[in-house]
Structure formats: structure tokens, C-alpha cells
């Protein structure tokens, strides 16, 4: 069984799948047994130990169990309308980063960063992470977000359980294109 492919399906189920809706929009939690039964349709050998391995081995910390271990959720990246996941609102660092592809840059410079099909724009505290994200979509471009100024002007920045900063949108006056670092 390919754990990477299982993780991709798990991510889809917990963040985007609406038919059937696996998750409770309040908190984004799904019943572990329901998720396992669906994953077994494609991966008959899927069991709780393998799911635990996927969750623990995910280097981005995408998934979390509730305190009882009977529910699971994605920590961020939901596209299902109405899903709310608890996040904190600490004081942000001076700068954050956003990775994208060069081909998207003209519209981003004109309209700003928008969540598109997700609920929030994802921002990173590390340049390298943003660069890696940008590479997934083509020639990478990293934007430097003036996060402290953004927050000081009353815009909300949230932090997910796995350390991803999020904003509802970021206007162009709060970012600049970085030269390749």
C-alpha cells in the first residue's frame, strides 16, 4: 500500500469532499471509523495503525486526532463552506512568506492574495517552505508579506495547530516579490 497515495485521499476527504460530507463543520472533525471504512474501499489493508502512521509521519502536520482518538481532522486548507477549525491569533512575526507560481503573479500584484477555493490564504514563517509550495505550481515566486504591518492595520492573521499562518486575503500594499534567495 502506498502511504503517500493514502495520505492524498485522506487529505481530500478531510478538506474537500462534500459527497458524502465526512466532516462536522463545527471543528472539522470526522469519525475515524467512517474515514477508515471509506479508505478500505481503495486500500483493503487500511487499518488504524496505518492511519496512525500516516498522521504521525506527515511532515507538514496536516492531521490531528481529538483528545479521545475517535475523531480526526485536517488542521487547515478546507474548501467546504462553513467548516470552522479552532486557530489562535498570536502576534505575528515581522514577515511571513507566500509561495506561488510566476504565471499567477500579474493577477496577484493587481488583486492581492485571495483564498481561491479555500477559506484562507496560507502563509509561512519560512522562506524555504513558501518556495517549495511555489514549485508545486510552476516556476516559483516567493512574496514577502509585511505581517506585523498587516496585523497592526487591523487585519486578522490566524495560526493553525500545525504552524500555518492564515489570512482571509492580503492586499498588494502588504507584500513585495522577493528576489531568489
Amino acid at each position: 500500500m502506498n502511504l503517500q497515495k493514502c495520505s492524498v485521499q485522506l487529505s481530500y476527504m478531510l478538506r474537500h469532499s462534500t459527497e458524502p460530507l465526512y466532516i462536522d463543520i463545527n471543528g472539522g472533525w470526522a469519525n475515524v471509523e467512517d474515514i477508515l471504512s471509506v479508505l478500505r474501499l481503495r486500500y483493503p489493508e487500511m487499518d488504524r495503525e496505518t492511519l496512525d502512521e500516516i498522521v504521525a509521519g506527515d511532515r507538514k502536520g496536516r492531521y490531528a486526532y481529538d483528545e479521545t482518538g475517535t475523531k480526526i481532522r485536517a488542521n487547515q486548507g478546507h474548501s467546504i463552506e462553513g467548516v470552522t477549525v479552532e486557530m489562535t491569533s498570536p502576534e505575528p512575526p515581522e514577515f511571513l512568506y507566500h509561495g506561488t507560481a510566476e504565471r499567477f503573479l500579474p493577477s496577484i500584484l493587481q488583486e492581492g492574495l485571495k483564498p481561491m477555493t479555500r477559506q484562507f490564504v496560507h502563509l509561512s514563517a519560512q522562506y524555504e517552505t513558501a518556495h517549495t509550495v511555489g514549485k508545486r505550481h510552476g516556476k516559483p515566486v516567493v512574496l514577502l508579506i509585511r505581517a506585523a504591518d498587516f496585523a497592526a492595520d487591523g487585519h486578522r492573521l490566524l495560526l493553525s495547530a500545525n504552524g500555518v499562518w492564515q489570512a482571509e486575503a492580503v492586499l498588494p500594499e502588504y507584500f513585495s516579490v522577493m528576489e531568489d534567495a
Side-chain angles (χ1 to χ4, degrees):
M1 175 172 44
N2 183 321
L3 293 185
Q4 176 63 32
K5 288 184 179 182
C6 290
S7 181
V8 169
Q9 185 174 356
L10 177 63
S11 178
Y12 177 81
M13 291 171 66
L14 296 176
R15 295 162 77 184
H16 310 297
S17 183
T18 58
E19 294 195 22
L21 182 62
Y22 298 105
I23 65 172
D24 179 348
I25 61 170
N26 298 310
W29 297 106
N31 183 320
V32 169
E33 288 305 317
D34 291 343
I35 295 299
L36 284 171
S37 67
V38 174
L39 288 172
R40 283 187 194 113
L41 296 174
R42 183 175 289 172
Y43 307 101
E45 62 274 26
M46 175 59 73
D47 58 16
R48 176 61 188 256
E49 290 173 2
T50 305
L51 183 62
D52 290 347
E53 185 179 345
I54 291 169
V55 171
D58 187 79
R59 55 188 171 78
K60 292 184 177 182
R62 287 184 187 99
Y63 315 112
Y65 289 117
D66 73 347
E67 62 280 350
T68 68
T70 61
K71 295 185 179 191
I72 186 171
R73 75 170 177 202
N75 285 316
Q76 92 281 328
H78 299 86
S79 64
I80 301 168
E81 190 174 330
V83 171
T84 56
V85 175
E86 308 86 29
M87 290 187 269
T88 60
S89 190
E91 186 172 326
E94 184 175 2
F95 300 107
L96 291 169
Y97 306 91
H98 179 81
T100 190
E102 185 178 64
R103 71 180 183 276
F104 301 133
L105 199 54
S107 68
I108 290 172
L109 291 173
Q110 184 176 350
E111 300 174 23
L113 292 169
K114 297 178 178 182
M116 308 309 285
T117 61
R118 296 187 179 177
Q119 294 177 342
F120 296 99
V121 173
H122 293 184
L123 307 171
S124 172
Q126 296 84 27
Y127 169 88
E128 295 78 16
T129 301
H131 190 265
T132 300
V133 168
K135 285 192 332 189
R136 291 191 320 217
H137 305 288
K139 185 177 179 191
V141 173
V142 176
L143 304 175
L144 178 69
I145 312 297
R146 291 185 310 285
D149 293 344
F150 182 79
D153 287 347
H155 301 284
R156 194 168 64 140
L157 279 169
L158 301 169
L159 185 61
S160 67
N162 62 333
V164 176
W165 287 90
Q166 300 181 54
E168 292 173 354
V170 181
L171 299 171
E173 58 259 29
Y174 292 104
F175 61 79
S176 57
V177 178
M178 294 187 70
E179 294 298 319
D180 209 12

